[in-house]
Amino acid sequence: MRIAQTDDLPTCHALRRAVFIDEQGIAEADEWDDLDAQAVHLLAYVNDTPLGTARLRQVGKEGRIGRVCVLSQARGTGLGAALVRFGVDWFTGQPGVSSVVLGAQCHAQPFYEKLGFAAFGPVYDDAGIPHQDMRAQV
């Protein structure tokens, strides 16, 4: 397994389409936004096959990890955790970043808690799925 920063946006988009649009039923209008152009993108590979992705954005003193997804056949393998840890480590190296924030689907909160994130703020609807913001200090 390996994680790498990438400029291969078509592969990132294909993974996000498979998970968010095809599997979870999120509308295309909710998935695609103008933030991809401003983000750093990660790909997670197993045997040179890309199976997961995430995007990283710095907003002030916050690092933001978003669009974290892993194809169903790779879930439970540690690939998603490795992807999130890579993102946190990446932000640790960025000047001025003091915390990393993500919007977690509520069912995934225990996954993120194991990685050092704590929920804050209200639960909210994002594309028809309950979410809550979570933060980890770096």
Side-chain angles (χ1 to χ4, degrees):
M1 152 181 354
R2 74 181 167 90
I3 314 284
Q5 191 172 325
T6 186
D7 291 325
D8 185 357
L9 206 49
T11 298
C12 296
H13 280 180
L15 292 166
R16 286 166 46 186
R17 174 176 294 281
V19 173
F20 297 130
I21 295 171
D22 298 341
E23 182 183 329
Q24 295 183 352
I26 292 173
E28 295 218 17
D30 290 327
E31 175 55 28
W32 311 124
D33 58 28
D34 61 353
L35 299 177
D36 280 339
Q38 310 158 21
V40 169
H41 297 272
L42 305 178
L43 279 174
Y45 300 86
V46 174
N47 299 326
D48 294 324
T49 301
L51 296 173
T53 188
R55 76 177 181 190
L56 311 177
R57 297 182 310 111
Q58 185 171 337
V59 180
K61 294 183 179 194
E62 279 184 350
R64 294 196 180 167
I65 300 176
R67 301 305 202 265
V68 178
C69 67
V70 172
L71 293 183
S72 60
Q73 67 264 33
R75 291 185 198 140
T77 65
L79 192 67
L83 196 55
V84 173
R85 282 190 199 102
F86 187 101
V88 170
D89 290 346
W90 189 88
F91 281 120
T92 300
Q94 301 305 304
V97 173
S98 58
S99 64
V100 178
V101 174
L102 53 82
Q105 293 184 2
C106 287
H107 72 86
Q109 283 180 309
F111 166 79
Y112 291 111
E113 286 170 352
K114 289 177 187 171
L115 296 171
F117 285 82
F120 70 95
V123 172
Y124 58 92
D125 179 281
D126 187 358
I129 299 171
H131 282 67
Q132 189 168 24
D133 289 335
M134 300 186 81
R135 176 181 290 122
Q137 299 303 315
V138 294

